[in-house]
Amino acid sequence: LRAKYLTRVNEAGDEAALEEVRLAAIGKKGEVALEMRKLGQMTPEERQTEGPRLNALKDEITGAIAAKKMALEDAALDARLSEEWLDVTLPARRGPRGVADGSVHPVSQVWEECTAIFADMGFAVAEGPQVETDWYNFDALNIPDHHPARGEMDTFYMHRAAGDDRPPHVLRTHTSPVQIRSMQAQGAPLRIICPGRVYRADYDQTHTPMFHQIEGLAIDKNISMANLKWVLEEFFSAYFGKSVKTRFRASHFPFTEPSAEVDIQCSFEGGTVKVGEGDGWLEVLGSGMVHPKVLEAGGIDPSQWQGFAFGMGIDRIAMLKYGIPDLRAFFDSDLRWLRHYGFSA
Ligand code: PHE
C-alpha cells in the first residue's frame, strides 16, 4: 500500500491528479481508511501494532502529498515566469505619426529654430515666470499705474483675497519683464533672448488668449539701432532661408526710445502671403533702444550702457513660414491638424 501510493503521489502531474491520489489513499473511502475500519475485527494485540502502523502510513502519505503540492506550485510559477517574461528594454512599436509617437507642434518647431539662430549670434536663453508681478510686467518697463498702455494690453489680473498682502500679480502680457529679470540677474553686458508664453484677453482669427513671443535684448557699450537692424535681417534671412528686407517704422513703446515697428517684405498674391518677395510689407515685431528708466529699473547705469530690445510673435512667424491660416487652430489639439502641420520628432 505504502509503495503504491507514494509512487502515485510522485507521478501526479498536476493538482487534480494529486487530489485523486489523496482521495483514493486517505480519503473517507480511501484504501487506508478501509484498512483502518478492519482494526475493529482484530485482536487487541494485532490492533496494537496495526493501528500505529496505519496512522504512520496516513501521516506519511499526507506529508508526501503536501510536499508534492508545493513542488507542483513551484513548477507552475516557474513556467508562468518564463512565459510572461517581458523585455522592458525593447524599443516601443511605432504607430502612425502624430498618434503613437507624437509629432512636434509648429510652435515648438519654430521656437527651436529661433533659439538656434539667435544662439549662433551669441544670444543666451533666459526665462521668467508666466505669473508675474505687475511691477515687472509694467512699472519696471516704464508703464506706471494708470498709464494707458495698461488698459490696452487686455491684462489678466490674478485675484487677491482680502488680507492677501502679496504684490498684485498678472499673467504676463509680454516677454519684456524678462528684460528686467535678466538685467538684475546678470548685469551688463548682456545678450539674451526669451521665448515664452504670454497672455491677453483677446480672441479672433489672429488672436488667442495665450500666445508666444520671443524677446531679444542686447546691452553693451556703443549699441545702436544699426546693430538691431543687422541682427533682425540676419535672423529673418536665416529663418526664411532667403534674404528678407525689413522696414522700420517709427512707433511708440514706453520701454524703448526711440521705438520702431518692423515689417518684413512680402507679396500677397492670390490670398497667400509669400515672405521675401514683392513690394508688400507685414508687421512682425516691436523694437527699439532700451529706455534709460528701464536700464535703471534693471540696475544698469544708463550713462555707461545702451541696449536694443525687440519682441516678436512666434505663432505669427510660424503661420508665415508654414502657410497656416488660422491662429486658433494652433491650440485646438485636433489630431488631423497636428498630423498635417506637425513635424516628425
Ligand atoms: N513687448 C512689446 C509687445 O508685446 C514688444 C516689444 C518688445 C517692443 C521689446 C519693444 C521692445 O508688444
Side-chain angles (χ1 to χ4, degrees):
L1 215 55
R2 176 176 180 274
K4 175 176 153 194
Y5 281 111
L6 289 182
T7 314
R8 280 187 58 183
V9 166
N10 235 339
E11 284 168 354
D14 54 32
E15 286 196 40
L18 197 58
E19 178 63 6
E20 252 174 57
V21 182
R22 191 186 70 81
L23 289 173
I26 55 175
K28 267 189 191 149
K29 291 172 186 160
E31 270 199 89
V32 177
L34 289 179
E35 289 299 312
M36 283 184 162
R37 230 166 281 159
K38 291 181 191 158
L39 289 174
Q41 286 114 52
M42 290 178 188
T43 64
E45 293 76 32
E46 281 174 325
R47 212 181 294 150
Q48 244 177 18
T49 56
E50 276 305 292
R53 216 173 58 82
L54 284 172
N55 269 326
L57 177 60
K58 190 181 170 188
D59 288 348
E60 194 179 1
I61 293 173
T62 305
I65 287 173
K68 182 68 184 178
K69 193 172 173 205
M70 258 166 61
L72 283 174
E73 280 169 0
D74 277 356
L77 185 60
D78 281 348
R80 253 187 70 189
L81 284 177
S82 67
E83 229 170 70
E84 296 176 8
W85 182 79
L86 235 154
D87 185 353
V88 294
T89 69
L90 276 178
R93 256 177 232 138
R94 297 183 80 79
R97 187 164 75 76
V99 182
D101 60 351
S103 61
V104 177
H105 193 282
V107 169
S108 306
Q109 171 74 18
V110 169
W111 177 311
E112 291 300 326
E113 287 173 19
C114 293
T115 307
I117 296 169
F118 284 116
D120 281 347
M121 291 193 266
F123 287 82
V125 173
E127 276 181 30
Q130 295 176 38
V131 179
E132 186 57 284
T133 64
D134 70 349
W135 188 82
Y136 279 105
N137 196 80
F138 295 122
D139 301 75
L141 291 164
N142 196 29
I143 314 173
D145 229 345
H146 307 302
H147 189 287
R150 289 206 185 197
E152 287 157 21
M153 283 268 204
D154 305 306
T155 310
F156 287 111
Y157 289 90
M158 304 301 286
H159 174 74
R160 265 195 314 171
D164 187 341
D165 54 4
R166 288 174 297 181
H169 281 71
V170 300
L171 293 183
R172 69 178 178 199
T173 57
H174 50 180
T175 42
S176 299
V178 183
Q179 287 189 32
I180 308 295
R181 290 184 174 274
S182 302
M183 290 182 211
Q184 289 178 333
Q186 299 176 45
L190 191 62
R191 227 185 291 180
I192 57 107
I193 55 157
C194 168
R197 297 184 159 204
V198 299
Y199 302 84
R200 290 180 202 177
D202 206 352
Y203 187 75
D204 60 33
Q205 191 175 339
T206 52
H207 297 88
T208 49
M210 186 282 300
F211 60 106
H212 301 83
Q213 284 188 337
I214 188 160
E215 192 82 7
L217 174 66
I219 295 174
D220 212 321
K221 313 254 170 181
N222 307 316
I223 288 260
S224 74
M225 291 288 269
N227 301 122
L228 170 64
K229 188 166 166 78
W230 181 85
V231 163
L232 291 178
E233 287 189 346
E234 201 65 13
F235 167 77
F236 285 118
S237 301
Y239 176 74
F240 287 106
K242 54 161 106 168
S243 94
V244 178
K245 287 196 189 124
T246 61
R247 183 174 76 170
F248 280 54
R249 273 181 298 108
S251 181
H252 178 263
F253 298 103
F255 33 93
T256 46
E257 181 58 39
S259 302
E261 275 172 327
V262 178
D263 303 337
I264 54 175
Q265 172 200 13
C266 41
S267 69
F268 299 94
E269 268 139 51
T272 54
V273 186
K274 287 193 182 137
V275 177
E277 57 186 65
D279 47 16
W281 297 98
L282 198 70
E283 186 198 321
V284 285
L285 60 84
S287 66
M289 297 303 293
V290 181
H291 196 288
K293 282 192 180 168
V294 173
L295 290 170
E296 266 166 17
I300 289 175
D301 180 357
S303 70
Q304 300 291 311
W305 305 91
Q306 307 91 52
F308 69 68
F310 61 85
M312 176 170 65
I314 295 182
D315 323 80
R316 194 78 188 288
I317 63 166
M319 290 167 79
L320 282 176
K321 182 164 173 180
Y322 297 108
I324 303 170
D326 191 328
L327 175 65
R328 292 170 294 196
F330 273 73
F331 311 116
D332 283 344
S333 303
D334 182 329
L335 278 181
R336 290 163 304 175
W337 188 92
L338 289 168
R339 264 181 230 130
H340 184 77
Y341 288 111
F343 295 82
S344 47

